[in-house]
Amino acid sequence: MPDRLAVDPRVAQMRLSDPDHLYDRPFPWLAAVAAAFTFLQLVLVVPGSGLGWDETVYVSQVSRDVPAAFFSAPRARGISYLVAPVAMLTSSTAALHVYLALCSGCGLFLALWVWRRLLPPAVLAGAGAMFAGLWITLYYGPMAMPNLWCALGALAAVGCFLRAVRGTTDGKALVGLGCGVALVALMRPPDACYLALPLIVAALVVPRWRRPAVPAVLVAALLLGSAPWIIEAYLHYGGVVARLHRASEIQGGLGRHFAVDDQMRALAGRTLCRPCEVPWRHRSTAAWWFALPLLTTGGIIAARTRRPAAVLATLVAASMAAPYLFMIDYAAPRFLLPTYALLALPVAECLRALFLAARPAWRPTVAVLLAFALAGHFAVQYWILSQVVARSRVARQEYTAIADQLHLLGIRPPCVVTGYDAVPIGYYAGCASRQIGGHDGSITADGLLAAARRTPVAVIVTPGHGAPAYARAWQQESLPPLRGGPALTVHLAPTEHMESTTAKRPSR
């Protein structure tokens, strides 16, 4: 078949003058972004990184070597399902992180690929690069946490929605829309509600987007993805309302809270800012945050024929950000990953428009200026990432040292750990973690004493805090410190299992 450009000079001229003439070749652009995202994770984040508190909870649910930690009301099991293929085969943290890095790279590619018929490849590649270049995205790419998967699911869902409501019926887009919403619901049901709500409203209110199948797919996907969480609510909490109430208590009480300033402070590298009363020393780390509304607005204005896509992405981003900015009294940068993924689209539109608005003779200069601005932005992101990763590596070393010391003291699987940081310490030691009361309350004092008669039990306390009444007469030993603080203290239950012999444990 002859090349159309060769037989029709007018088509050739039109396409060569069109900055979006690569509409039909998105694969190399998006594959390059996804490959770079995966590579940076494997090089910068994965080596030496450990599992954080929340990760140990999720991974322990499906681990072959560690008893499941208490699963509190706000959590959902989606990420546990995702890590199960590796966690059930090996206890290697490195293998788990490599697996998740590869999965997240593929997930980013697929989420962007959905948009290939809606936006130019240059816009998609730019949006993907800006989102993937954030320290938050890079850090959580290989981590066993649900927020990045909510972001990728939301990005794919909005793209599929726009394809599903076009003039022609797109069955694949409806399936993709359902899968995207179900994925978010499986990971974090409340996030899925804030994703689905504006899409349902748009499908009902915008005349040319009215497709009876779309709202039905959104509701069905929301229920299907939330099904495990809903079933657990009735089995263990007395219903959905009771579980939501308990989840609100654990999160400090959902209500009117202004957390915008907390989120800005957390951008300096705090994975969790609770309470967020720390000084805001490195304000440059939030410079891009202040530019985000301006760039988003510019992208919406510049999008022209693609404006509905930019507007919808922005509205969904705002919906998913609202609870984390105005309903909780603490902050974690990962909470806003879905918002950043969606806003990256209009931001990329804005940067593209800035380049194209310049006269052809000035475009090289504009390109250099934009490149310098983006290089400075990414340099700050890399600086923060290096600090966050370094803390993760130190935490792994500290937890490993504590676990090794517990093994020397006779606390070896099967065993039980309770008290300070019992969840991650128990995971690293291969023990069950149990708490008397609190958010992770899963056992009584009598139950713990009964467990001590058949298995090693350790109570970990911080300096200056005495042991609980039931453990005051137990053997007291020292443990390595955590987070640069003084040494911890452990009280060991007097059972026949307490032998001071060393045992080899699986590497973590």
Side-chain angles (χ1 to χ4, degrees), residues 129-473:
M130 284 184 289
F131 174 64
L134 296 175
W135 74 263
I136 316 159
T137 313
L138 283 168
Y139 181 71
Y140 285 105
M143 299 300 168
M145 295 291 284
N147 309 89
L148 177 62
W149 296 98
C150 289
L152 298 178
L155 183 62
V158 175
C160 287
F161 174 90
L162 289 167
R163 289 175 54 177
V165 297
R166 293 192 304 181
T168 57
T169 302
D170 190 340
K172 292 181 180 179
L174 282 175
V175 173
L177 174 61
C179 290
V181 173
L183 173 64
V184 178
L186 195 62
M187 295 292 173
R188 291 180 71 89
D191 282 17
C193 293
Y194 286 100
L195 164 65
L197 180 60
L199 295 181
I200 292 174
V201 172
L204 296 176
V205 172
V206 180
R208 60 176 177 168
W209 286 356
R210 289 175 183 166
R211 304 286 186 277
V214 172
V217 168
L218 286 167
V219 173
L222 187 61
L223 293 175
L224 180 63
S226 304
W229 192 92
I230 294 173
I231 292 171
E232 282 189 352
Y234 282 100
L235 291 177
H236 303 298
Y237 293 92
V240 172
V241 175
R243 183 168 189 175
L244 288 172
H245 179 72
R246 179 56 179 156
S248 176
E249 290 179 343
I250 291 174
Q251 293 175 303
L254 298 180
R256 288 184 295 177
H257 300 286
F258 187 80
V260 176
D261 54 337
D262 295 341
Q263 286 288 352
M264 287 189 294
R265 281 194 289 270
L267 289 173
R270 295 184 176 274
T271 54
L272 181 63
C273 203
R274 184 179 188 183
C276 203
E277 299 173 351
V278 296
W280 191 17
R281 293 193 179 94
H282 304 291
R283 303 196 175 191
S284 61
T285 58
W288 67 276
W289 221 62
F290 291 101
L292 197 55
L294 298 176
L295 293 173
T296 300
T297 303
I300 292 174
I301 295 172
R304 295 183 181 179
T305 58
R306 298 186 291 271
R307 190 166 296 157
V311 170
L312 183 65
T314 303
L315 291 177
V316 176
S319 174
M320 299 188 75
Y324 298 114
L325 295 177
F326 306 111
M327 295 180 64
I328 60 175
D329 62 352
Y330 63 96
R334 65 180 184 272
F335 292 162
L336 297 183
L337 277 171
T339 297
Y340 300 147
L342 290 165
L343 292 185
L345 297 171
V347 169
E349 287 274 19
C350 181
L351 296 181
R352 168 185 171 277
L354 288 175
F355 173 76
L356 295 178
R359 295 179 179 179
W362 285 93
R363 286 181 182 177
T365 303
V366 174
V368 170
L369 292 175
L370 289 175
F372 270 111
L374 291 172
H377 167 68
F378 289 131
V380 173
Q381 299 301 307
Y382 171 78
W383 174 69
I384 303 171
L385 177 67
S386 64
Q387 293 185 325
V388 176
V389 172
R391 289 198 296 269
S392 174
R393 291 167 178 163
V394 170
R396 176 180 181 171
Q397 295 170 357
E398 292 176 340
Y399 283 128
T400 301
I402 291 174
D404 290 341
Q405 183 63 23
L406 287 174
H407 292 158
L408 290 174
L409 294 171
I411 304 297
R412 299 187 298 273
C415 48
V416 177
V417 175
T418 186
Y420 181 74
D421 267 17
V423 173
I425 290 175
Y427 179 89
Y428 277 80
C431 303
S433 59
R434 299 290 181 263
Q435 297 286 30
I436 300 174
H439 296 162
D440 293 331
S442 55
I443 198 170
T444 63
D446 290 339
L448 200 62
L449 290 173
R453 289 193 286 269
R454 60 181 183 271
T455 190
V457 174
V459 180
I460 300 173
V461 298
T462 55
H465 294 78
Y470 63 84
R472 287 174 186 166

